[in-house]
Amino acid sequence: MLFQKRKARLAAQTREAAVTSYSALDRRAPVSELAKELLRKAFPDHWSFLLGEIALYSLVVLVLTGSYLTLYFEPSMSQSTYHGAFHPLDGLVVTDAYASTLDISFDVRGGLLIRQMHHWAALVFVAALGVHMLRVFFTGAFRRPREFNWMIGVTLFLLALLEGFAGYSLPDDLLSGTGLRTANTIVLSIPVVGTYLSYFLWGGSFPGHILISRLYTVHVLFVPGVLIALLGAHLVMVVYLKHTHWSGRGKTNRNAVGQPMFPQFTAKSTGLFLMVSGVVAWLGAVAQINPVWDYGPYVADQASTDAQPDWYVGFLEGALRLMPPWETNVAGHTIMWNVFLPAVVLPGVLFLVLYLYPYFEKWVTGDLMEHHLCDRPRDRPTRTGLGVAAIVFYAVLLVAGGNDVVAAVFEVSVEALTWIFRIAVIVGPILAFLITKRFCLALQAHDRELLEEGEETGRISQNVYGGIGESHRPLGSEQRYRLLVRDVPAPLEHPGERAPRRQRLRAALSAWYYRDRVDMPATAEERLQISGRTMDPVAGAGHAGEEETP
């Protein structure tokens, strides 16, 4: 009895202390308001919105496993004789970076598991970021007011590539050393300043003695700090601007409908984090990756066969292999176009296009309103075609990065395969664009047929005159709503031949973007309702930003 009273008194004191502390904090910071706003945040329940969360949780795994690895890794290029647990390399002169990587793999308890988890989590992180960006692009979620958040996402992807390359290069094995040799050549190819940049980054002639320590600082401090800061800004913008959502009953361009953060979203998100962590741990345990002991330490005059970089930078390798050997000598200086164009200009142009595309499409459309409803990719055939063409372009370059492996496996000539890829990298994206656009228009025509005739029931009947036909049933209200409520702009009118060239170009691009379309059959009442569902939130200021949690 005495023990129960003491326990109750202790619980009461704890509650009183917690309430007092919270009240003191709430008087000095808007804790209650922020907590209320965050807890009532509506999260969409469609699976495609989980792609960004997979990237977030794989980053958490990266930080945890990377923190463990920093306790044992030695970022030094000083050389010593190896006498560790891996006896085939015993007595070999290696750098401290390579030796510590071997020690982590064979001497540190759980070191190999953590190291492989870290590598797999990096691949999942970059892949999830890329697929998440594709989802945002194909659904038009980059449009106003989310252009700045799209640019943050592109920067995150660029930093993820840099972070992955820096971590991939740290072990100083023969494979990563070959990659650093390629990176050095890319830096040297930059006209005028290339040699100065190379000397500064490598601390002298390649391979230098300080690059590993510099990459280590970049990998564990600079890039992660910027990544986490930008990720925080990205999430703040998501909460402030609200999520986009797919059209459906009760979902308009002027509200945000979804499940509340607590308890539904919190439970789902926690489960997803555990699943991501479990899958990464399983991959780290059963799927070997980057066995540096097989490659051996890096020696500047050696190169391994079948050397392939991680997939996210493989497109640069393919571009380098497909580029013809073009060089120009100017005033005694050689400009290596065969390296500068595919490895410096090409990625620069690609990321510049990604940064500017939201503003380009807004200029072509002439659309200044806010958009919170996701586009179905079939309803924007030109944009979808451009996205698929970019994917095919990247895929051809990625496969071309392993043209020697493909040639050896299929027993074909490397030269012939290189010419096939050179043609495919130009013809492939064009064909992909045309096929994708026609496929989207065909899907639109199918949607129109469903609205006009209804769904097929599979029942065949014969009339009194002997004719055979299939019966249909009307679409449900939810499916009909999803097909009809879409926001597809009409092409801009041609300004006339006397108009400035810029306006004529804009009208021509607008016609190219939105001329090919299939209009859906809708009554005047339905068209009025559709315009209300897709109305600019600014026009309906009383409902702008409103969140609903069913």
Side-chain angles (χ1 to χ4, degrees):
M1 188 70 177
L2 181 61
F3 178 75
Q4 292 180 352
K5 289 183 178 180
R6 184 179 299 174
K7 183 178 179 181
R9 190 183 307 113
L10 181 61
Q13 292 175 352
T14 303
R15 285 195 300 270
E16 183 178 357
V19 170
T20 302
S21 301
Y22 181 83
S23 299
L25 181 62
D26 192 43
R27 293 191 191 100
R28 293 162 177 81
V31 178
S32 297
E33 296 180 8
L34 291 177
K36 180 181 178 181
E37 186 70 21
L38 187 60
L39 290 178
R40 68 183 293 270
K41 163 70 180 169
F43 288 87
D45 54 0
H46 195 269
W47 65 266
S48 62
F49 292 91
L50 299 178
L51 297 171
E53 293 183 43
I54 293 176
L56 173 63
Y57 296 140
S58 58
L59 178 61
V60 173
V61 176
L62 274 172
V63 172
L64 295 177
T65 55
S67 300
Y68 183 83
L69 294 176
T70 56
L71 301 176
Y72 303 99
F73 182 72
E74 183 66 32
S76 172
M77 298 183 72
S78 299
Q79 294 185 334
S80 60
T81 304
Y82 178 73
H83 294 291
F86 191 69
H87 297 299
L89 296 179
D90 188 63
L92 198 65
V93 177
V94 300
T95 61
D96 291 344
Y98 185 74
S100 63
T101 304
L102 292 178
D103 291 339
I104 291 172
S105 303
F106 296 105
D107 296 322
V108 176
R109 185 179 296 275
L112 181 59
L113 173 64
I114 299 299
R115 179 173 161 267
Q116 296 198 147
M117 283 181 61
H118 189 72
H119 201 131
W120 278 114
L123 297 181
V124 173
F125 175 61
V126 180
L129 268 181
V131 179
H132 175 63
M133 289 180 61
L134 288 176
R135 196 277 301 175
V136 172
F137 177 81
F138 284 121
T139 61
F142 56 81
R143 294 172 296 174
R144 186 178 181 183
R146 297 175 179 85
E147 303 98 330
F148 183 67
N149 218 18
W150 165 262
M151 297 176 71
I152 292 178
V154 175
T155 306
L156 283 171
F157 187 71
L158 182 59
L159 290 174
L161 298 184
L162 176 60
E163 178 77 347
F165 177 76
Y168 167 85
S169 304
L170 287 179
D172 199 33
D173 60 288
L174 189 56
L175 183 62
S176 64
T178 303
L180 285 176
R181 165 62 82 180
T182 304
N184 181 259
T185 305
I186 293 173
V187 173
L188 286 172
S189 71
I190 302 176
V192 182
V193 299
T195 53
Y196 300 100
L197 283 176
S198 174
Y199 191 88
F200 170 75
L201 294 175
W202 272 264
S205 300
F206 182 87
H209 298 283
I210 62 174
L211 182 64
I212 296 298
S213 59
R214 288 183 173 181
L215 283 176
Y216 181 75
T217 304
V218 169
H219 183 69
V220 304
L221 182 61
F222 291 158
V223 176
V226 179
L227 262 175
I228 294 174
L230 287 178
L231 183 61
H234 182 75
L235 295 177
V236 168
M237 294 290 289
V238 169
V239 173
Y240 175 72
L241 297 173
K242 311 297 187 295
H243 276 87
T244 56
H245 52 197
W246 297 95
S247 62
R249 286 292 181 185
K251 300 176 182 179
T252 70
N253 202 40
R254 294 179 292 158
N255 63 3
V257 178
Q259 296 178 338
M261 181 175 182
F262 185 84
Q264 286 89 341
F265 175 77
T266 303
K268 287 184 176 181
S269 190
T270 303
L272 181 62
F273 169 66
L274 296 176
M275 290 174 62
V276 171
S277 303
V279 170
V280 171
W282 177 77
L283 288 171
V286 303
Q288 179 177 272
I289 189 169
N290 198 24
V292 296
W293 51 89
D294 285 343
Y295 307 143
Y298 178 65
V299 181
D301 61 349
Q302 295 182 7
S304 58
T305 58
D306 295 350
Q308 308 295 323
D310 281 336
W311 67 268
Y312 46 84
V313 291
F315 76 100
L316 290 178
E317 179 77 14
L320 285 168
R321 297 190 183 194
L322 295 186
M323 187 69 185
W326 294 344
E327 294 182 354
T328 302
N329 291 317
V330 180
H333 298 277
T334 301
I335 301 177
M336 300 183 295
W337 301 111
N338 55 326
V339 178
F340 179 66
L341 290 179
V344 179
V345 175
L346 176 63
V349 171
L350 289 179
F351 277 96
L352 182 62
V353 170
L354 288 175
Y355 276 114
L356 298 181
Y357 183 82
Y359 302 97
F360 171 75
E361 186 171 302
K362 181 168 66 175
W363 177 72
V364 170
T365 308
D367 182 13
L368 299 179
M369 66 177 284
E370 294 185 1
H371 295 274
H372 302 285
L373 283 176
C374 290
D375 289 329
R376 299 175 75 202
R378 67 183 65 182
D379 293 333
R380 299 290 184 115
T382 301
R383 180 206 294 158
T384 304
L386 290 174
V388 174
I391 293 174
V392 170
F393 179 75
Y394 174 86
V396 172
L397 291 181
L398 181 62
V399 177
N403 61 350
D404 55 338
V405 179
V406 176
V409 171
F410 293 98
E411 298 182 353
V412 296
S413 169
V414 175
E415 291 77 10
L417 196 62
T418 300
W419 274 106
I420 291 174
F421 284 134
R422 285 174 177 172
I423 297 172
V425 80
I426 298 175
V427 177
I430 298 175
L431 290 178
F433 171 79
L434 296 176
I435 294 173
T436 302
K437 187 171 182 178
R438 299 312 306 174
F439 190 70
C440 290
L441 293 173
L443 290 175
Q444 289 187 43
H446 177 67
D447 289 344
R448 180 181 178 90
E449 182 180 348
L450 287 176
L451 290 170
E452 291 177 339
E453 301 179 4
E455 292 180 307
E456 298 176 352
T457 62
R459 298 175 58 186
I460 305 297
S461 59
Q462 185 176 20
N463 58 29
V464 295
Y465 301 104
I468 297 177
E470 185 177 15
S471 60
H472 296 76
R473 59 171 174 266
L475 293 180
S477 58
E478 182 69 25
Q479 188 176 3
R480 186 174 179 83
Y481 185 100
R482 180 167 56 88
L483 297 183
L484 284 177
V485 177
R486 60 177 192 165
D487 181 18
V488 182
L492 298 177
E493 295 183 0
H494 196 281
E497 296 300 330
R498 295 185 177 181
R501 183 178 300 176
R502 184 173 180 272
Q503 295 183 10
R504 286 182 284 146
L505 175 62
R506 181 184 183 188
L509 288 173
S510 179
W512 181 66
Y513 255 75
Y514 303 113
R515 177 180 59 243
D516 298 328
R517 58 197 293 165
V518 177
D519 293 324
M520 298 298 153
T523 63
E525 176 64 24
E526 287 176 332
R527 295 187 185 281
L528 182 62
Q529 293 183 9
I530 292 170
S531 63
R533 303 293 192 277
T534 58
M535 184 185 301
D536 189 349
V538 177
H543 302 279
E546 179 182 343
E547 294 194 71
E548 299 179 12
T549 53

